[in-house]
Amino acid sequence: MALSPETFTTRKRRPRGSSFTSPKVNDLNVLSSLLQLTDQICSLNLTATLLNRVSSSTIRKTQLLGVVFEELFRVSNLNSDSVLFLCLEEMYIVLHKLKTLIQDFSNGSKFNLLMQIDTVAESFHRLTGELSTLLDVFPLQDLDLNDDVRELVLLVRKQCSEAKAFIGAEHVSLRNDVVLVLDRIKNEIVPDQAHLASIFEKLEIRDASSCRAEIESLEEEIHNRCEEQPKTDLVALIGLVRFAKCVLYGASTPSQKTVTLRRNQSSELAIPADYRCPISLELMRDPVVVATGQTYDRVSIKLWMDSGHNTCPKTGQTLSHSDLIPNRVLRNMITAWCREQRIPFEAETDTGKLNGGVTNKAALEATRMTVSFLINKLKGRENDNVNVPLSVEDTNGVVYELRVLAKTDSDSRACIAEAGAIPVLVRFLNAENPSLQVNAVTTILNMSILEANKTKIMETDGALNGIAEVLISGATWEAKANAAATVFSLSGVAAHRKKLGRKTRVVSGLVGLAKSGPEGARRDALAAILNLAADRETVARLVEGGVVGIAAEVMAAMPEEGVTILEAVVKRGGLVAVAAAYAGIKRLGAVLREGSERARESAAATLVTMCRKGGSEVVAEMAAVPGVERIIWELMAVGSVRGRRKAATLLRILRRWAAGLDGGENEGFPTTTTMVASSTTTVVVPTTTTTTSLAQ
């Protein structure tokens, strides 16, 4: 049986000598595998001009060897212990390394190949030398081959033995030009456009699309590099390509097909439960571990702590310290998963900082130059000439470039804000063009991830009103959802949360989106509502807006979101919120029975609060839930620490009500054991000792 291509996985990073392992070829049909491999090498499409001469020469040698293998396949009867078999086996390994080498530099970054051209050329030379050695020991005299085939073997042997590591002088000169440009950028000197255009033309990067592909290839290379390998050169190259893309080829937006695909993927994608933050229920961008060992997204847990909490949201345990330890293993898993699903991973990336946060100077200056160029475009200034108006399409392209840049790293977000982009972007929040509106609000959202930018956005005239307007009457669901996400991000600061909560249109916009939007938009709105519900004053407005009814409605489809919001609102909303939530008690009982661990925790906590504040009528309604005692016992047995505490409190409240005592806030429980009969089970009221140990 011939070896299949799957025997060797395709590598996405630059191969090195130590990165290959020998395949286990145990069958006598190694010639079939060699014929298949030579066909694959000969059919490779050489798209890169760099090292084209070397790779073309390799392909020609492979073609000649293919003729030899065909003749051997016809006349030879291989023995696995023979010298010929062992020689062919080693040839397979060497040829596969050559194939992978050609594929990697043909499909990878052109700039990265240019900067490593010495190393890659040496790899070709070394592998050619290995092939020459194998041909030297090839048992040609023992084989019954015709004269033409014998001459081919001798010809390839001669070509391999005489081959030298070749690098064109033009490539060395081109690499020096790139290094010079990077040095000038590092010294805050804007590159000459003509010189820049010449470099990109020689590398056959001639439009915005090829620039985007080059940036993606460089980012892929960064992800694939080991921690020990330097990434500085790649980071600087990304900044250079991004700058050149905007300056040489103009800002551009993705194709409609790409936008549609991205929307479909984001709406249909099922995020693994372990990759969701227990607080926001969204994909974790920067997972961190707290003192109890639980993992949360950094933004969400920081918001929780900044709100005055000193407990773990999931377990309820008091945090012994407030340190947040990065969960790098989980983050790498999430990054790999996002890459497999072909969705953007909008997190702090390595494109701006290296080695523990030391900023790469060339990359930072390239970012500043790019931002300055784009903002001047939006302001109507180009080459110091004022009043150069942009069309709506061109404006949209510039804003989209800022959107992409704002999601890369903190340095980029800081540069965009420092360049005065926020007031300019606010103007486009009420744009009639739907795409421009989406790009503007998403850029502000991406910028708001940086803590320092939150205050700048809040203090910019018209920013909050513009975001509220998009929430209420945005042209697309995507715009509304990103406006809600912006509110969520901004409300991470307690002072901003109060200000946002006082904006009636912000509250009504979030409630309306949570009520009638598609699932993704509803999740964004519910996350923002949960943040705002941390402020008691805002809770009253949320209750007036009908958020309690909406939370109850979404429990069926999104139980964790609905129950968590209901818990927060009931806890801070007083009797009015309890009365509004009265009709949802049976739904809470269903979540208590069938929900996830976190949803059951929140459902139990919500019922405890409602029973304490609402009195016997609420307790009676809870008692009417079928099998409620069995559900509570089950939660006490298998629930989380917090869930067990809340379940124990619920059971005490239920027993007091069954004994004819008040179901209100008075928590003075009897010290004696009381037997309470029910139609389904007999339960025992715990003693004082048990009550104390389970008290919250």
Side-chain angles (χ1 to χ4, degrees):
M1 181 179 66
L3 290 178
S4 66
E6 286 73 23
T7 304
F8 296 89
T9 57
T10 301
R11 298 178 61 84
K12 290 187 176 180
R13 58 181 170 187
R14 188 74 54 231
R16 291 168 177 81
S18 60
S19 62
F20 294 95
T21 57
S22 301
K24 300 300 181 182
V25 185
N26 295 320
D27 62 88
L28 298 181
N29 289 321
V30 65
L31 282 170
S32 298
S33 300
L34 280 166
L35 287 171
Q36 182 181 5
L37 180 57
T38 53
D39 286 342
Q40 292 171 356
I41 294 175
C42 294
S43 63
L44 291 176
N45 182 22
L46 301 179
T47 57
T49 56
L50 298 174
L51 293 178
N52 205 326
R53 173 176 168 179
V54 176
S55 55
S56 297
S57 175
T58 301
I59 291 175
R60 286 195 298 272
K61 294 183 183 71
T62 305
Q63 285 177 323
L64 297 178
L65 287 175
V67 176
V68 177
F69 298 147
E70 286 179 359
E71 181 67 10
L72 285 173
F73 188 80
R74 186 178 63 83
V75 302
S76 296
N77 184 17
L78 284 178
N79 184 317
S80 60
D81 295 328
S82 66
V83 174
L84 177 60
F85 179 85
L86 296 175
C87 187
L88 293 176
E89 184 182 28
E90 291 299 318
M91 279 189 184
Y92 184 94
I93 298 172
V94 173
L95 288 175
H96 193 279
K97 291 178 180 179
L98 285 167
K99 172 195 165 187
T100 307
L101 192 62
I102 296 172
Q103 283 180 323
D104 276 359
F105 80 71
S106 294
N107 301 327
S109 162
K110 296 178 180 179
F111 271 98
N112 187 42
L113 173 60
L114 178 64
M115 304 306 285
Q116 296 189 76
I117 198 166
D118 291 334
T119 303
V120 179
E122 181 57 36
S123 296
F124 267 111
H125 182 60
R126 178 177 50 77
L127 291 173
T128 303
E130 291 180 13
L131 193 58
S132 174
T133 301
L134 291 171
L135 290 172
D136 284 339
V137 299
F138 192 79
L140 187 60
Q141 67 282 358
D142 298 335
L143 301 174
D144 184 18
L145 301 176
N146 62 51
D147 292 340
D148 290 339
V149 175
R150 288 175 178 274
E151 288 180 5
L152 282 179
V153 175
L154 295 174
L155 175 62
V156 176
R157 179 193 299 174
K158 184 174 184 294
Q159 290 177 345
C160 290
S161 63
E162 294 177 353
K164 297 179 181 179
F166 175 80
I167 305 174
E170 68 279 9
H171 297 154
V172 175
S173 176
L174 183 59
R175 182 177 59 185
N176 293 338
D177 285 345
V178 173
V179 172
L180 177 62
V181 169
L182 290 174
D183 286 341
R184 290 176 66 84
I185 290 176
K186 188 183 298 185
N187 293 322
E188 303 180 26
I189 301 173
V190 179
D192 177 70
Q193 289 193 25
H195 187 203
L196 206 58
S198 173
I199 292 174
F200 277 69
E201 176 63 30
K202 290 175 182 177
L203 287 172
E204 297 185 350
I205 302 176
R206 300 187 175 104
D207 52 34
S209 177
S210 56
C211 283
R212 278 197 295 267
E214 178 66 17
I215 291 172
E216 290 174 2
S217 296
L218 288 167
E219 289 175 342
E220 183 73 25
E221 188 68 29
I222 284 179
H223 287 303
N224 286 331
R225 284 199 174 185
C226 303
E227 290 296 330
E228 298 80 17
Q229 294 174 310
K231 303 177 182 180
T232 310
D233 52 344
L234 299 178
V235 173
L237 289 171
I238 288 175
L240 172 63
V241 177
R242 186 175 285 124
F243 172 74
K245 175 181 178 291
C246 296
V247 173
L248 298 180
Y249 309 117
S252 61
T253 57
S255 65
Q256 188 58 42
K257 180 179 179 181
T258 303
V259 173
T260 303
L261 179 63
R262 185 184 65 211
R263 289 175 181 171
N264 291 340
Q265 287 174 334
S266 62
S267 61
E268 297 174 3
L269 204 59
I271 301 174
D274 292 340
Y275 296 171
R276 288 181 180 271
C277 174
I279 298 175
S280 68
L281 303 178
E282 296 295 330
L283 182 70
M284 285 188 279
R285 311 294 181 180
D286 187 9
V288 293
V289 180
V290 298
T292 59
Q294 299 294 327
T295 298
Y296 302 93
D297 199 12
R298 183 183 295 274
V299 173
S300 299
I301 191 63
K302 191 172 184 301
L303 171 63
W304 171 266
M305 292 178 171
D306 290 345
S307 300
H309 298 93
N310 65 343
T311 58
C312 174
K314 195 168 184 178
T315 66
Q317 296 174 281
T318 301
L319 298 174
S320 58
H321 59 78
S322 59
D323 296 340
L324 302 178
I325 304 169
N327 191 335
R328 301 191 185 280
V329 174
L330 180 58
R331 186 182 186 279
N332 290 338
M333 293 172 61
I334 294 173
T335 303
W337 178 82
C338 288
R339 195 178 304 131
E340 290 173 3
Q341 301 297 330
R342 300 186 65 81
I343 61 174
F345 182 64
E346 300 177 9
E348 297 296 321
T349 66
D350 296 321
T351 55
K353 295 193 175 182
L354 301 161
N355 302 326
V358 179
T359 301
N360 179 267
K361 184 73 161 90
L364 179 59
E365 293 305 325
T367 298
R368 283 179 176 154
M369 291 176 187
T370 305
V371 169
S372 176
F373 177 82
L374 293 172
I375 298 301
N376 284 336
K377 279 272 191 182
L378 288 179
K379 291 180 178 179
R381 295 196 298 267
E382 186 174 7
N383 297 327
D384 297 326
N385 295 322
V386 185
N387 300 324
V388 182
L390 292 177
S391 65
V392 174
E393 182 179 354
D394 290 340
T395 300
N396 188 34
V398 173
V399 175
Y400 175 76
E401 293 294 345
L402 288 172
R403 168 183 175 173
V404 173
L405 194 58
K407 81 174 186 179
T408 55
D409 54 60
S410 296
D411 286 334
S412 297
R413 297 178 192 118
C415 289
I416 295 172
E418 290 167 2
I422 298 175
V424 178
L425 292 168
V426 167
R427 300 204 312 258
F428 303 123
L429 292 177
N430 60 356
E432 296 181 0
N433 183 288
S435 180
L436 178 55
Q437 185 184 66
V438 168
N439 287 329
V441 72
T442 309
T443 305
I444 294 175
L445 167 62
N446 292 339
M447 292 174 64
S448 70
I449 297 173
L450 185 64
E451 201 73 17
N453 285 348
K454 296 183 193 296
T455 301
K456 293 181 180 179
I457 294 170
M458 294 292 295
E459 294 177 351
T460 299
D461 290 340
L464 291 189
N465 290 335
I467 294 169
E469 190 61 34
V470 176
L471 262 177
I472 295 172
S473 56
T476 63
W477 289 118
E478 184 182 5
K480 292 182 178 183
N482 287 347
T486 305
V487 174
F488 170 78
S489 177
L490 295 174
S491 60
V493 179
H496 300 342
R497 191 183 311 134
K498 285 183 175 292
K499 187 174 181 179
L500 287 163
R502 294 191 186 105
K503 287 280 185 180
T504 304
R505 289 175 66 79
V506 170
V507 173
S508 61
L510 290 173
V511 172
L513 185 59
K515 182 177 182 180
S516 59
E519 183 175 342
R522 295 176 86 180
R523 287 186 187 277
D524 287 323
L526 291 170
I529 288 172
L530 181 60
N531 266 9
L532 295 181
D535 179 63
R536 290 185 180 276
E537 183 182 337
T538 304
V539 168
R541 294 188 178 88
L542 290 171
V543 173
E544 290 174 5
V547 76
V548 174
I550 292 170
E553 287 176 12
V554 303
M555 278 188 210
M558 295 178 282
E560 293 193 10
E561 290 89 336
V563 175
T564 305
I565 287 175
L566 199 59
E567 177 190 359
V569 171
V570 167
K571 182 178 179 180
R572 300 180 181 88
L575 292 176
V576 175
V578 173
Y582 183 82
I585 291 178
K586 286 185 171 59
R587 293 183 180 179
L588 285 169
V591 174
L592 200 62
R593 180 175 58 252
E594 301 172 352
S596 65
E597 181 179 284
R598 184 171 181 272
R600 296 175 79 188
E601 283 180 19
S602 295
T606 305
L607 286 170
V608 167
T609 303
M610 292 179 66
C611 289
R612 285 174 172 172
K613 294 184 178 181
S616 58
E617 290 186 1
V618 173
V619 182
E621 185 70 11
M622 181 185 70
V625 174
V628 66
E629 289 182 1
R630 178 184 59 78
I631 297 169
I632 293 173
W633 275 112
E634 180 183 340
L635 184 58
M636 289 177 63
V638 300
S640 63
V641 175
R642 179 174 181 253
R644 293 198 298 270
R645 288 205 312 270
K646 296 298 181 181
T649 304
L650 267 183
L651 189 60
R652 292 197 301 271
I653 292 174
L654 191 61
R655 287 167 172 172
R656 285 176 53 80
W657 172 82
L661 302 176
D662 284 340
E665 292 186 332
N666 181 10
E667 294 189 57
F669 295 103
T671 59
T672 59
T673 301
T674 306
M675 300 297 295
V676 181
S678 75
S679 58
T680 58
T681 186
T682 301
V683 295
V684 182
V685 175
T687 62
T688 304
T689 304
T690 306
T691 302
T692 303
S693 64
L694 294 174
Q696 58 181 350

